[in-house]
Amino acid sequence: MTVQIFGLAVAKGVAIGRAVLVASGRVDVAHYFIVADQAAEEVVRLTCARDEVSAELTTLQHDLPSDAPHELSALLDVHLMLLHDEHLVSAAARWVHERHYNAEWALSAQLEVLARQFDEMEDEYLRERKTDLEQVTERVLAALKRQSGGDAARIAAPKPQDFGGEEPLVLVASDIAPADMIQFKRSVFKGFVTDVGGPTSHTAIVARSMDIPAVVGAREASRLIRQDDWIVIDGDAGVVIVDPPPIVLEEYRFRQRQLQLEREKLDRLRHTPAITLDGESVEMLANIESPEDAAYALDAGAVGVGLFRSEFLFMNRGNDLPGEDEQFEAYRAAVLAMKGLPVTIRTVDIGADKPLERLSLHELRHEHSLNPALGLRAIRWSLAEPSMFRAQLRAMLRASAFGKVRILVPMVAHLSEVRQTLEALQRAKQQLRASGCAFVDVEVGAMIEVPAAALMLDSLLRHFDFVSIGTNDLIQYTLAIDRADEHVAHLYDPWHPAVLLLIANTIAKARAAGRAVSVCGEMAGDTLFTRLLLAMGLRSFSMHPRQIAPVKQSVLRADCARLAKSLSAVLQSDEPQAAARAALGEAGA
Ligand code: PEP
Ligand code: MG
């Protein structure tokens, strides 16, 4: 039966594929594709793990003290029966053979199928057996983890060459932590759907950076979609269509082809200089999350990296955070890949919806700090971990010997933070000099992403060489809207007059002070805002590499002098979006 599910459109385009359902509680299980030849071996892993658990349960039952309640033995009987039911391991083996899932993934996929059947049972006693099934499966998953030495507790990014199947796949989950999402980069998944998340949650940002259609905040999606269902993800409308009829499918396939043609046309602009009709040169920079992204940035026509989110090097590592040398290698790799173009590395922005450990938004909100976005995040966390922070600064400075590095400090709000940061940088430099390590003097910039920073810009400009406006957080903190919360996503409004005023003032003041200013939040990569930002005087945009071509197209068609004349009409309007459409004339605005 065809079902439509509505959510938030966060990454444009159309994806059509079979659903791979990953329950958030089991996202921690290894998920990767095996090659077809390994299927028999993988099924042996599965049956060995089942036999190990069977032996475990039998021993437990055997060792029960004579006075143990009868129910305990009966419960173990139920667990043994479920364990040996052909609907569990034998059915999981089919996922291995047919879809080439690894054993853990196959088993959790089958658990999802069975759990749903239990949920639909009329009989309450039988329905409650779902918990037993989950417990038994957890035991088998634990046995599989032991077999693989315990290092499989991550979602391994499936690469196209790992995938033996022919049908496209899309990922459906209640929630995907940014740390997991990053592992899906350049994987086989053609689209993403999650129950939770807002338009600029980091999960959505990573999806956009992959240029893969995504719908988040689709509340019931992971409940309504079943393993292996055919689904269409309409990333423009924010709709997911489950089990679409042939005519709908054909329509979407047609749109997919059209989008592909448009994309190919835009790609021809990749290496065209971004100069407006009135001759203003505009810098098109890239946002990257890993050193490997640098090559994609260059290929997309970026003239530098405006934001390297270094925190992605720190996530999912347990206590094993990257040390100075490992970071140095990563920064140097990015710098070398950019072939002399500038690389702006942001000091670690851990916290809020980017925790160090792999936690779902639900866990973050309910089991950790009440308000992580207002907590120990970004520069606050770095200053609370001085030796980690100095190691990161040293690694960045050392990379500066190999190309043009700039350091960017996230979430600055207090002058005391500025002072401590600059002191830490001086200490890092002294330490490098003492140990004879080469580095050059680097420019240091502040992210303007807290209203306080925008309002005290004059003071900040006395300490920093450049500023970069983080509109994602600036909107979140100005409007008091959790950017990751789908319940308030409708209030997350980049067009809010207060937000526009803060951005316009920041650009104007930085320019007046002779300091470089760019925007590296999602607004920079959204063509809806290109003309408005140009009108405000912005000449440096930093965005996901794939957005460079469309934004450049808007730049090439713009006349900055003419746009600037209409700016005040937009800023003074109660309806800035409508005013922008009328005064700036951008089709999308
Ligand atoms: C921002 O806040 O706009 C930004 C670029 O940083 P992040 O999205 O990583 O918080
Ligand atoms: Mg930010």
Side-chain angles (χ1 to χ4, degrees):
M1 191 186 67
T2 302
V3 178
Q4 287 196 23
I5 306 167
F6 295 88
L8 302 166
V10 294
K12 292 184 192 310
V14 172
I16 302 170
R18 288 223 187 245
V20 171
L21 213 70
V22 182
S24 59
R26 280 175 277 279
V27 97
D28 218 18
V29 164
H31 290 70
Y32 54 88
F33 293 97
I34 53 160
V35 286
D37 302 359
Q38 287 172 328
E41 205 180 303
E42 206 60 12
V43 171
V44 170
R45 284 187 62 221
L46 206 49
T47 45
C48 284
R50 178 201 51 201
D51 295 347
E52 192 182 317
V53 173
S54 178
E56 232 172 72
L57 293 176
T58 313
T59 312
L60 262 176
Q61 198 171 39
H62 188 259
D63 292 348
L64 278 180
S66 53
D67 56 350
H70 167 70
E71 287 78 6
L72 221 50
S73 176
L75 188 73
L76 288 169
D77 273 338
V78 170
H79 281 202
L80 277 162
M81 192 189 73
L82 289 167
L83 182 65
H84 289 285
D85 192 304
E86 59 170 29
H87 291 102
L88 190 61
V89 173
S90 310
R94 276 208 297 280
W95 292 108
V96 176
H97 284 298
E98 288 168 17
R99 294 251 164 270
H100 303 145
Y101 292 177
N102 66 312
E104 289 87 344
W105 186 353
L107 189 63
S108 34
Q110 186 54 20
L111 173 61
E112 292 306 315
V113 171
L114 296 177
R116 244 161 238 254
Q117 291 173 3
F118 274 93
D119 283 341
E120 281 159 16
M121 282 175 185
E122 300 253 312
D123 184 299
E124 195 183 334
Y125 174 80
L126 289 178
R127 219 172 33 240
E128 282 170 4
R129 299 289 65 77
K130 183 176 107 171
T131 319
D132 296 306
L133 177 75
E134 285 172 340
Q135 286 170 356
V136 169
T137 311
E138 296 298 341
R139 272 183 185 271
V140 184
L141 287 172
L144 282 166
K145 195 164 165 179
R146 285 196 295 276
Q147 278 178 8
S148 58
D151 65 345
R154 29 195 347 216
I155 300 182
K159 306 236 166 39
Q161 64 267 30
D162 298 336
F163 178 51
E166 309 214 316
E167 286 166 343
L169 300 177
V170 294
L171 190 79
V172 180
S174 169
D175 185 15
I176 310 173
D180 282 327
M181 195 71 185
I182 203 88
Q183 295 190 58
F184 289 127
K185 275 206 164 185
R186 292 177 268 288
S187 77
V188 291
F189 294 115
K190 304 281 185 237
F192 295 93
V193 182
T194 61
D195 295 348
V196 302
T200 58
S201 60
H202 283 90
T203 303
I205 289 181
V206 178
R208 267 196 294 279
S209 78
M210 294 155 78
D211 198 29
I212 284 183
V215 171
V216 304
R219 312 219 181 141
E220 296 284 281
S222 73
R223 202 179 58 75
L224 295 170
I225 300 171
R226 283 161 314 172
Q227 203 68 254
D228 232 28
D229 273 347
W230 273 104
I231 63 172
V232 171
I233 301 174
D234 182 339
D236 295 289
V239 181
V240 181
I241 304 162
V242 188
D243 201 6
I247 187 157
V248 173
L249 207 53
E250 201 30 62
E251 210 172 294
Y252 273 108
R253 291 223 155 95
F254 178 70
R255 255 190 62 201
Q256 251 183 339
R257 286 193 292 274
Q258 274 184 320
L259 289 171
Q260 179 60 25
L261 285 176
E262 274 168 37
R263 187 78 238 180
E264 282 164 17
K265 256 199 257 162
L266 274 179
D267 279 349
R268 290 188 215 137
L269 295 178
R270 276 186 305 180
H271 301 296
T272 307
I275 299 177
T276 62
L277 292 174
D278 57 336
E280 291 278 331
S281 184
V282 179
E283 191 177 41
M284 309 297 276
L285 302 169
N287 291 356
I288 64 171
E289 274 101 33
S290 71
E292 295 79 53
D293 292 344
Y296 290 88
L298 212 54
D299 190 48
V303 296
V305 169
L307 172 66
F308 179 170
R309 289 185 163 100
S310 70
E311 55 276 12
F312 283 93
L313 301 174
F314 286 67
M315 284 147 74
N316 268 357
R317 305 273 304 233
N319 291 327
D320 173 37
L321 295 184
E324 177 181 332
D325 287 344
E326 186 184 331
Q327 287 186 61
F328 162 64
E329 297 293 343
Y331 305 146
R332 183 178 57 174
V335 167
L336 292 176
M338 289 308 291
K339 300 187 165 83
L341 295 170
V343 178
T344 310
I345 311 172
R346 180 170 72 182
T347 64
V348 64
D349 184 4
I350 276 299
D353 69 334
K354 285 180 292 190
L356 277 178
E357 323 95 89
R358 180 192 291 119
L359 293 173
S360 68
L361 282 175
H362 180 85
E363 287 166 322
L364 271 174
R365 290 211 183 95
H366 299 282
E367 292 165 31
H368 288 260
S369 83
L370 195 58
N371 235 325
L374 301 182
L376 197 62
R377 178 190 167 185
I379 190 61
R380 302 172 182 179
W381 187 75
S382 294
L383 292 173
E385 300 280 342
S387 65
M388 180 290 305
F389 190 36
R390 275 200 306 277
Q392 177 167 48
L393 293 171
R394 285 195 302 271
M396 291 175 172
L397 286 167
R398 283 169 60 191
S400 72
F402 296 85
K404 190 167 179 350
V405 169
R406 308 197 307 169
I407 294 178
L408 182 59
V409 187
M411 218 185 156
V412 171
H414 297 266
L415 284 173
S416 59
E417 291 163 344
V418 176
R419 191 176 30 76
Q420 287 177 68
T421 301
L422 296 178
E423 276 169 13
L425 188 63
Q426 286 315 321
R427 274 287 299 283
K429 287 182 181 173
Q430 279 161 11
Q431 289 169 334
L432 288 180
R433 274 188 210 106
S435 55
C437 279
F439 66 93
V440 294
D441 243 347
V442 299
E443 290 184 351
V444 184
M447 290 217 39
I448 306 301
E449 49 184 354
V450 177
L455 293 168
M456 58 183 258
L457 195 75
D458 292 332
S459 314
L460 293 180
L461 289 173
R462 286 198 282 277
H463 300 280
F464 289 101
D465 303 303
F466 68 97
V467 290
S468 187
I469 307 174
T471 51
N472 308 336
D473 277 317
L474 191 60
I475 298 166
Q476 155 164 276
Y477 295 123
T478 304
L479 303 181
I481 297 297
D482 182 342
R483 64 193 259 194
D485 187 347
E486 67 280 7
H487 298 98
V488 285
H490 60 291
L491 296 172
Y492 185 93
D493 181 12
W495 288 106
H496 192 291
V499 170
L500 297 184
L501 268 181
L502 289 175
I503 298 173
N505 288 344
T506 303
I507 295 170
K509 280 195 169 163
R511 284 182 59 134
R515 295 284 192 279
V517 52
S518 71
V519 169
C520 63
E522 296 297 297
M523 279 172 85
D526 187 340
T527 50
L528 272 183
F529 299 100
T530 311
R531 285 185 173 226
L532 179 61
L533 292 171
L534 288 171
M536 289 175 179
L538 190 75
R539 298 293 180 266
S540 175
F541 293 63
S542 192
M543 67 204 88
H544 304 302
R546 292 291 284 168
Q547 283 153 342
I548 290 180
V551 173
K552 195 187 283 184
Q553 189 182 42
S554 294
V555 167
L556 294 172
R557 293 173 177 168
D559 179 333
C560 290
R562 193 183 68 74
L563 292 175
K565 289 192 192 127
S566 306
L567 179 66
S568 59
V570 179
L571 294 182
Q572 283 159 22
S573 166
D574 288 347
E575 299 286 344
Q577 186 166 9
R581 199 182 296 121
L584 304 177
E586 177 82 294

